[in-house]
Each structure stands twice: as C-alpha cells, then as structure tokens.
Amino acid sequence: MKINWGTGIVIAFALFMTFILYFVIKVQSDSKYDNELVVDEYYKHDAKFGDEMVRIQSAQDLAQKPVITDTAEGITIIFPEVYVPKNIKGKVSFYRSSSEKLDFDVPIALSGSSLLVPKNRLLDGRWEINMEWQYNGKQYLTKETVYIN
C-alpha cells in the first residue's frame, strides 16, 4: 500500500490534533493543574483600583518608609522610629500565585518597631506581599515581591 502526499499530510494533522486534545483534556481533568484566578471577584477588585493607587502613592511619598526584608528567621517588616507602634493598624497579606490555599493574612500588631512572620509559615518560592496599613487616620499600601529560598 502506497501513501501519497495528501494522505500523509491529513494523517499528520490528525495525529497532531489528537496530541493537542489529549493534553487539553488532561490539564482540565487533573486536579494537579489548578486553574485558579489570582483574585476572586476580579471585577469588584478592579473597581477599587483607583483607591488602591492613591494608597500606593501615599506610601511612596513617605520620607521614611517601612522596610520588608527576608531574614533567616522569616520575613521582617521594620517601621522607622518616627512612627508610634501603637498607632499603626492594618494587615499584611501573603499571596502565592501558584496556589490560593497558601495565601494568608497577618494583622499588624506591634510592640516594638518590627513585625516578624516566621519562616515556617512560608514555603520556598515567590511571595507577593501586600501591606495595607494606616497611621494617624491616613491609609497606605505597600506592595513587594519576595523570593524565599
């Protein structure tokens, strides 16, 4: 039996489409490949974007900004000495884009000028840190990306 060019091309296309469909079905049906959105209720989040930008700009305009660092003990957030610790309120949100199950929030409750999030709460990899805080009635938002090794 001899196969001509036309038949060979049709067979090649059919095999390629079968190959692609196999992977599409595998990814959609296997729970190992989560298709999560980074933010639930995306459109509601998008409507508040202007307010978020104002808070980010307020944080950028500060003469002395809080510093987020990766230390051996974990993530340390250090507020400058000019801030009275008891007047700082807010929360620090840790987002892991690979899995919503790993996301968590830490309330800002300071006795000194720093806040420590222990390393045992953080898996290795990339973390998006959003610190929403207010000081003397003014709201701020600080965003940072940290890589944990």
Side-chain angles (χ1 to χ4, degrees), residues 61-72:
D61 292 342
L62 290 171
Q64 296 181 344
K65 301 172 182 69
V67 177
I68 300 172
T69 56
D70 178 20
T71 63

Side-chain angles (χ1 to χ4, degrees), residues 63-93:
Q64 296 181 344
K65 301 172 182 69
V67 177
I68 300 172
T69 56
D70 178 20
T71 63
E73 295 83 29
I75 299 293
T76 305
I77 301 169
I78 302 169
F79 286 89
E81 296 294 325
V82 296
Y83 298 113
V84 178
K86 68 178 182 173
N87 293 345
I88 300 171
K89 305 284 185 238
K91 70 176 180 174
V92 182
S93 301

Side-chain angles (χ1 to χ4, degrees), residues 36-46 52 95-97 100 103 130 143:
E36 300 174 350
L37 293 174
V38 174
V39 178
D40 289 333
E41 299 179 354
Y42 175 78
Y43 293 107
K44 287 183 183 178
H45 182 267
D46 194 36
E52 185 175 304
Y95 293 107
R96 186 69 182 256
S97 59
E100 182 181 16
D103 297 349
N130 293 344
K143 292 186 172 194

Side-chain angles (χ1 to χ4, degrees), residues 9-143:
I9 290 173
V10 169
I11 291 171
F13 275 130
L15 289 174
F16 179 73
M17 288 191 310
T18 304
F19 174 75
I20 295 299
L21 283 173
Y22 166 74
F23 280 109
V24 168
I25 291 169
K26 181 173 178 71
V27 167
Q28 292 298 324
S29 63
D30 195 346
S31 63
K32 181 171 79 172
Y33 304 106
D34 272 338
N35 298 320
E36 300 174 350
L37 293 174
V38 174
V39 178
D40 289 333
E41 299 179 354
Y42 175 78
Y43 293 107
K44 287 183 183 178
H45 182 267
D46 194 36
K48 298 176 185 174
F49 184 71
D51 177 50
E52 185 175 304
M53 293 309 297
V54 169
R55 293 184 291 147
I56 289 173
Q57 189 60 48
S58 296
Q60 291 294 323
D61 292 342
L62 290 171
Q64 296 181 344
K65 301 172 182 69
V67 177
I68 300 172
T69 56
D70 178 20
T71 63
E73 295 83 29
I75 299 293
T76 305
I77 301 169
I78 302 169
F79 286 89
E81 296 294 325
V82 296
Y83 298 113
V84 178
K86 68 178 182 173
N87 293 345
I88 300 171
K89 305 284 185 238
K91 70 176 180 174
V92 182
S93 301
F94 289 82
Y95 293 107
R96 186 69 182 256
S97 59
S98 62
S99 176
E100 182 181 16
K101 297 172 189 92
L102 298 174
D103 297 349
F104 65 95
D105 295 334
V106 175
I108 297 175
L110 302 173
S111 57
S113 63
S114 66
L115 174 70
L116 174 68
V117 178
K119 194 111 175 170
N120 62 4
R121 292 195 69 184
L122 304 165
L123 290 177
D124 289 351
R126 179 181 176 189
W127 287 91
E128 299 287 334
I129 301 173
N130 293 344
M131 183 169 61
E132 298 180 44
W133 56 288
Q134 59 182 337
Y135 183 72
N136 292 338
K138 186 151 184 178
Q139 295 186 347
Y140 303 96
L141 176 60
T142 305
K143 292 186 172 194

